[in-house]
Amino acid sequence: MDKKKVTLLYSGGWDGTFRLLQLAQYDIEIQPVYVIDKDRGSTEYECRAMKTIIEEAGKRFPAVICPIQYYDKEWILENCRDEEISNAFRRLRKTYAVGTQYEWFALLCRKTGLKMESAVVHQYHGKVEDAINAEGVLELIEDDFLPSRYQVRPKGENRSAHLVFGNLILPVIKLEKKDEERIARENGWLDIMKLSWFCHTPVNGKPCGLCGPCDDAMNTGMEWRLPEDARKRYKHRTLYRFIRKLGSFLKR
C-alpha cells in the first residue's frame, strides 16, 4: 500500500522545521517545496539548513523525506499567472500587509493542483491570521488522516482569504513559537530545531537583528536565537536600518 504524502512549503526556518519533524514521526512521505527568492540574502543559509535538518531527521524518524522541489518565484509569477488570486492577494495586502510569498504559494498550489502545508503559527496581531480571521473562516479539516490540520473557507460572499489561503493546509496555526520549543524539548528534537535558519539579511554569517524574522524572534520569546551583537543592533534598529538603507542607496 502506498504511503500517504504531505507536501510541505519549507525554507529551513523554525516553524517549518517544527512541522517537518512533527510529520517525520509518521510512516508517510514528505515532499518539501522551497520557493527561491533571489532578492533575499539568506538563500544560501536556508538551503544549507534544510539539507542538514533533513539528513538528521532521516536518521531518527520513520517518514520518507523526498528530495526538495525548488521553484523560482519569478518562474511562478510568469508561468502560474492567475488574476483572480493576484487581485485577492493585493486586496488583502493593502489592509494586512501579508507577505508577498503567499501570492507565490497560492499561484503554485493552483497551478500544480496540490494542497500544501504552510507552517503559519499563532501570533497576536499576526498578519496572516488577522487576514484569515477577518476575511475568511478557519475550519478544522474533518476525517483527515493527520490530526489538527486547518483550512480556510470563504466568509459569506467574501472569497479573498479563501482564494489566497484556501489551498494551504495550516497545521500549527493554533501554536505559538514557545509552544513549538516546549514540544520539541519534550520530544527530544530541540537539537535539530536549533539547526534552523530564520534571518533574511545575515551579517557575517549570523542573524542581523534588523530584518522581519529577527523582529519576530525578539518579540516571541526567541531572542536567545540571536547573537549578542544582533540583539544590540535590534535595540538601536532605527539607526541601523537607516544606515543600511543609505548604504543601499549609495550603491546604486
Side-chain angles (χ1 to χ4, degrees):
M1 183 176 177
D2 292 340
K3 294 179 185 291
K4 296 283 190 179
K5 190 170 186 176
V6 175
T7 302
L8 173 67
L9 289 157
Y10 187 47
S11 64
W14 177 268
D15 304 318
T17 297
F18 175 81
R19 184 55 182 168
L20 178 79
L21 298 177
Q22 265 195 329
L23 288 170
Q25 313 302 303
Y26 296 93
D27 186 22
I28 61 173
E29 285 189 10
I30 305 168
Q31 177 59 70
V33 170
Y34 178 67
V35 177
I36 301 166
D37 179 4
K38 294 175 182 175
D39 297 328
R40 201 161 68 220
S42 56
T43 299
E44 172 190 349
Y45 301 89
E46 292 171 357
C47 289
R48 189 185 306 151
M50 288 191 293
K51 181 177 183 293
T52 304
I53 290 162
I54 288 171
E55 285 177 354
E56 288 299 315
K59 294 173 186 175
R60 298 194 202 180
F61 306 124
V64 173
I65 305 177
C66 303
I68 301 167
Q69 289 181 350
Y70 296 90
Y71 292 91
D72 189 287
K73 75 165 187 183
E74 302 299 339
W75 183 89
I76 294 172
L77 292 171
E78 178 64 27
N79 294 281
C80 307
R81 292 180 183 177
D82 189 303
E83 283 305 307
E84 185 180 37
I85 286 175
S86 293
N87 287 337
F89 171 77
R90 285 190 284 268
R91 286 195 296 274
L92 291 181
R93 185 167 169 80
K94 280 182 182 179
T95 303
Y96 306 100
V98 173
T100 53
Q101 69 269 29
Y102 291 101
E103 181 182 15
W104 317 334
F105 296 164
L107 293 172
L108 183 61
C109 285
R110 179 169 279 190
K111 179 71 173 181
T112 60
L114 294 173
K115 287 188 177 290
M116 302 187 187
E117 284 202 1
S118 179
V120 179
V121 296
H122 171 69
Q123 291 182 326
Y124 296 103
H125 305 299
K127 296 167 186 174
V128 171
E129 198 173 358
D130 285 350
I132 291 171
N133 290 335
E135 308 271 347
V137 177
L138 188 67
E139 292 182 349
L140 189 67
I141 300 175
E142 295 182 1
D143 301 320
D144 197 4
F145 73 98
L146 292 172
S148 303
R149 301 201 301 170
Y150 292 83
Q151 60 190 352
V152 178
R153 296 296 190 194
K155 178 178 278 188
E157 298 297 315
N158 188 341
R159 298 181 65 240
S160 294
H162 177 65
L163 284 166
V164 176
F165 303 110
N167 283 320
L168 297 182
I169 296 172
L170 307 172
V172 294
I173 197 164
K174 299 294 185 180
L175 299 178
E176 298 179 24
K177 291 181 187 291
K178 294 296 289 183
D179 295 322
E180 293 175 329
E181 182 182 5
R182 172 183 52 78
I183 293 167
R185 181 179 289 108
E186 290 171 355
N187 286 277
W189 330 319
L190 192 58
D191 60 323
I192 304 181
M193 293 284 288
K194 289 179 178 178
L195 298 172
S196 61
W197 183 264
F198 60 98
C199 176
H200 283 178
T201 52
V203 176
N204 298 323
K206 297 179 180 179
C208 66
L210 302 173
C211 66
C214 284
D215 270 355
D216 287 345
M218 290 297 296
N219 289 289
T220 55
M222 308 296 288
E223 62 277 359
W224 57 267
R225 302 201 69 205
L226 278 73
E228 185 178 356
D229 57 348
R231 293 197 294 270
K232 287 179 180 177
R233 283 192 291 270
Y234 176 81
K235 185 177 180 181
H236 303 288
R237 59 193 178 280
T238 301
L239 174 61
Y240 278 101
R241 285 172 176 167
F242 172 76
I243 293 170
R244 176 174 277 185
K245 284 184 179 179
L246 181 62
S248 297
F249 176 78
L250 293 174
K251 285 179 182 178
R252 294 177 184 174

